[in-house]
Amino acid sequence: MTGAGGRRAAALLTTSARILLTVGRLSGMIDPASTQTGVAEFCDAFAAWEAESCPDHT
């Protein structure tokens, strides 16, 4: 990822609980079908982070 989209997605690499909570809330408010620049990249990066960092333990 490059540019602003890469910097936004890089926030997902943090270990700060406060930032992760905020990013999680943001992801729930974003329409993944949006055509706004960077939305699809953010949604993809968040989904990848969530799959890697928050496995389903059920």
Side-chain angles (χ1 to χ4, degrees):
M1 288 176 274
T2 60
R7 286 190 295 275
R8 284 189 295 268
L12 298 177
L13 300 177
T14 186
T15 57
S16 167
R18 185 180 335 161
I19 292 172
L20 294 175
L21 180 61
T22 301
V23 171
R25 286 181 184 154
L26 175 64
S27 73
M29 298 185 313
I30 292 178
D31 177 6
S34 173
T35 58
Q36 292 291 317
T37 303
V39 170
E41 184 178 15
F42 172 84
C43 290
D44 291 345
F46 183 78
W49 169 82
E50 190 172 40
E52 293 173 14
S53 301
C54 304
D56 183 10
H57 294 290
T58 60

